[in-house]
Amino acid sequence: MKGFVQNIESITVKNKDFRRVLYTAKHCQLVVMTLKPKEEIGMEVHKLDQFFRVEEGAGEAVLDGVRTLISAGFAVLVPAGTNHNIINTGSVPLKLYTLYAPPNHRDGVVHHTRDEAEADNEHFDGKTTE
């Protein structure tokens, strides 16, 4: 298949991994994530733009200290240079997908847990999915 043409909502809802890179193009990257109750991505800042879409659960988006409640159907666009975090404030997993532009992670990387992601100092190495 050329590019990525799949049911992202279904893939996102079924995902149980903290982070799973689904597709890496030259200028953007598609990643699904699941945050356990009370888990967070962790405060971070990128030199790239990032988009989040929530499919299930509830939480909070923090952008440069501004906290906004988010739930299924919400989109969050984080401009480059913005200090940000996504926090699961609910009692069920927070299921979301994110687009990095340009790519941020090594293509195909899977981190089953946040601890595993924190321990892996991987970054995009220039290799795309196709």
Side-chain angles (χ1 to χ4, degrees), residues 18-60:
F18 175 77
R19 177 185 298 125
R20 176 178 294 269
V21 174
L22 296 180
Y23 189 87
T24 304
K26 185 176 181 181
H27 299 289
C28 71
Q29 182 173 63
L30 177 60
V31 178
V32 290
M33 298 187 75
T34 296
L35 302 178
K36 297 174 187 171
K38 310 305 176 205
E39 189 172 53
E40 61 186 75
I41 290 173
M43 200 60 78
E44 58 187 6
V45 63
H46 302 297
K47 294 179 182 177
L48 50 78
D49 296 324
Q50 187 172 10
F51 168 87
F52 293 95
R53 159 75 186 197
V54 178
E55 294 296 343
E56 279 189 356
E60 195 172 64

Side-chain angles (χ1 to χ4, degrees), residues 2-122:
K2 184 72 172 171
F4 182 90
V5 183
Q6 296 185 39
N7 184 329
I8 191 62
E9 181 179 2
S10 176
I11 292 168
T12 303
V13 168
K14 290 176 184 172
N15 177 56
K16 295 185 185 320
D17 296 311
F18 175 77
R19 177 185 298 125
R20 176 178 294 269
V21 174
L22 296 180
Y23 189 87
T24 304
K26 185 176 181 181
H27 299 289
C28 71
Q29 182 173 63
L30 177 60
V31 178
V32 290
M33 298 187 75
T34 296
L35 302 178
K36 297 174 187 171
K38 310 305 176 205
E39 189 172 53
E40 61 186 75
I41 290 173
M43 200 60 78
E44 58 187 6
V45 63
H46 302 297
K47 294 179 182 177
L48 50 78
D49 296 324
Q50 187 172 10
F51 168 87
F52 293 95
R53 159 75 186 197
V54 178
E55 294 296 343
E56 279 189 356
E60 195 172 64
V62 183
L63 278 66
D64 282 341
V66 177
R67 296 175 174 272
T68 305
L69 296 178
I70 57 173
S71 59
F74 270 71
V76 178
L77 185 58
V78 182
T82 303
N83 199 5
H84 65 281
N85 194 5
I86 302 291
I87 305 165
N88 182 346
T89 59
S91 58
V92 299
L94 180 62
K95 307 277 186 148
L96 55 91
Y97 64 88
T98 184
L99 286 164
Y100 293 94
N104 190 56
H105 297 286
R106 188 178 65 248
D107 186 50
V109 74
V110 177
H111 294 124
H112 301 292
T113 65
R114 181 169 186 249
D115 287 343
E116 189 177 308
E118 292 291 319
D120 187 1
N121 194 23
E122 59 80 32

